Amino acid sequence: MTSEDLFAVTALNSWKLVVGRFDQSLAQLTDEQLQKQIAPGKNRLFYLVGHLTAVHDRMIPMLGIGERLHPELDETYIISPDKALPDPISAADLKKVWIEVNTRLTTAFETFRAADWLQRHEAVSEEDFAKDPSRNRLAVVLSRTNHLSFHSGQAVLAK
Amino acid sequence: MTSEDLFAVTALNSWKLVVGRFDQSLAQLTDEQLQKQIAPGKNRLFYLVGHLTAVHDRMIPMLGIGERLHPELDETYIISPDKALPDPISAADLKKVWIEVNTRLTTAFETFRAADWLQRHEAVSEEDFAKDPSRNRLAVVLSRTNHLSFHSGQAVLAK
């Protein structure tokens, strides 16, 4: 394995580890537990999972992998705060969609060669990317992995 | 910049971003706020900062950078749960030590060349590393960055 490939594998392992832990926690949550708030007056677990699913779904076009699978989640879980709108999806379906979106991403990441990770993502202009080539796909995946860790820390408090 | 260097820079940016955000939040916290719990019955912010500082201090020998700066924090903030022992450090000193430890780490990381990131860390045996070269320094830094994000998500709830 080349050094470049090893960098890519190490970063991908980090994504898979954090997503995998969240998969496991989510699978164990009952519908009732998903309605609990992470702390008094804070977001429900359900909202948090909807939010993470929508944010990850947005990564699909952002990383040039394909079309979004579930843009219908944005209005409730990105644009609006918790409880502003009724949940447009059941708990069972949300769990399925979380897996579907992340499987789509991880499957694509596993086909990436080292050079693919260092390509521009769609949210940065060619001009800005020329100035700062660290604004690449890898940066997006590391950022989203940290975002998931951030909310995972909150999710465990609801237990 | 070579591809390898770009991988290293992108990962280091992720570490610096997450640590930098935590630095800013911590600087704004009063002594009184640091005594607040992140949620009812959960860890105090003070404990959480002590825990993160001790965990990061442990990275110094683990990554072959040098000797630990503050091993005296382990008993209270790694081995024991919150409030089992009195805080052995003032809020002002804890804030200073957090900065000191992370400056030590980041300064060393900035001298790492791409190949340095892919070297074995001290917590994995040579035998295990030969089998799985992704157990390198980069993996430790990505893991600790996610650990910090995890607790950052909890820390914001105390506000």
Side-chain angles (χ1 to χ4, degrees):
Chain A
M1 198 185 287
T2 67
S3 294
E4 276 184 299
D5 289 334
L6 198 46
F7 268 104
V9 165
T10 306
L12 180 55
N13 281 350
S14 173
W15 160 266
K16 287 200 271 191
L17 189 73
V18 174
V19 171
R21 279 190 199 137
F22 197 83
D23 290 348
Q24 288 196 317
S25 304
L26 181 58
Q28 291 166 4
L29 291 170
T30 63
D31 292 13
E32 203 173 17
Q33 286 173 318
L34 278 166
Q35 293 300 329
K36 284 181 69 176
Q37 292 173 320
I38 53 172
K42 307 290 181 182
N43 293 332
R44 290 169 307 140
L45 272 176
F46 200 106
Y47 180 85
L48 204 147
V49 178
H51 171 71
L52 290 165
T53 306
V55 168
H56 285 204
D57 195 52
R58 284 183 167 190
M59 291 170 75
I60 300 172
M62 193 178 182
L63 299 178
I65 292 168
E67 297 289 318
R68 289 194 61 176
L69 301 173
H70 294 282
E72 75 279 4
L73 297 174
D74 288 18
E75 200 178 341
T76 314
Y77 301 114
I78 292 190
I79 298 163
S80 310
D82 191 15
K83 293 185 181 170
L85 296 173
D87 293 310
I89 184 170
S90 70
D93 284 344
L94 181 59
K95 286 179 178 180
K96 276 184 207 151
V97 169
W98 165 259
I99 296 290
E100 180 194 7
V101 168
N102 288 290
T103 301
R104 181 83 179 84
L105 289 167
T106 303
T107 304
F109 297 161
E110 284 178 332
T111 69
F112 279 11
R113 308 196 58 167
D116 297 322
W117 285 105
L118 300 177
Q119 282 180 21
R120 183 171 71 90
H121 61 75
E122 300 295 326
V124 66
S125 69
E126 289 192 27
E127 195 186 347
D128 287 343
F129 183 64
K131 283 183 215 152
D132 182 3
S134 77
R135 299 181 69 178
N136 51 45
R137 284 161 154 176
L138 176 66
V140 172
V141 176
L142 293 178
S143 170
R144 293 304 177 277
T145 306
N146 278 298
H147 177 254
L148 175 56
S149 292
F150 184 92
H151 288 302
S152 296
Q154 300 177 333
V156 296
L157 298 175
K159 284 200 177 164
Chain B
M1 198 184 286
T2 67
S3 294
E4 275 183 302
D5 289 334
L6 197 46
F7 268 104
V9 165
T10 306
L12 180 54
N13 281 350
S14 173
W15 160 266
K16 288 201 272 191
L17 188 74
V18 175
V19 170
R21 278 190 199 137
F22 197 84
D23 290 349
Q24 288 197 318
S25 304
L26 181 59
Q28 290 166 7
L29 291 170
T30 62
D31 292 13
E32 203 173 16
Q33 285 173 319
L34 278 166
Q35 293 300 328
K36 284 181 69 177
Q37 292 173 321
I38 53 172
K42 307 290 181 181
N43 293 332
R44 290 169 308 141
L45 272 176
F46 200 106
Y47 180 84
L48 204 147
V49 178
H51 171 71
L52 289 166
T53 306
V55 168
H56 285 204
D57 195 52
R58 284 183 167 189
M59 291 169 74
I60 301 173
M62 194 178 180
L63 299 178
I65 292 169
E67 297 289 318
R68 290 194 61 176
L69 300 173
H70 294 283
E72 74 279 4
L73 297 175
D74 289 17
E75 200 179 341
T76 313
Y77 301 114
I78 292 188
I79 298 164
S80 310
D82 191 16
K83 293 185 180 169
L85 297 173
D87 293 309
I89 184 170
S90 71
D93 284 343
L94 181 59
K95 286 179 177 179
K96 277 184 208 150
V97 168
W98 166 259
I99 296 291
E100 179 194 7
V101 167
N102 288 290
T103 301
R104 181 83 179 85
L105 289 167
T106 303
T107 305
F109 296 161
E110 284 178 332
T111 70
F112 279 12
R113 307 196 59 166
D116 296 323
W117 284 105
L118 301 177
Q119 282 181 21
R120 182 172 72 90
H121 61 74
E122 300 295 326
V124 65
S125 69
E126 289 192 29
E127 195 185 348
D128 287 342
F129 183 64
K131 282 183 218 155
D132 182 2
S134 77
R135 299 180 69 177
N136 50 45
R137 284 161 155 178
L138 176 65
V140 172
V141 175
L142 293 178
S143 170
R144 293 304 177 277
T145 306
N146 278 299
H147 176 253
L148 175 56
S149 292
F150 184 93
H151 289 301
S152 296
Q154 299 177 333
V156 296
L157 297 175
K159 284 202 176 165

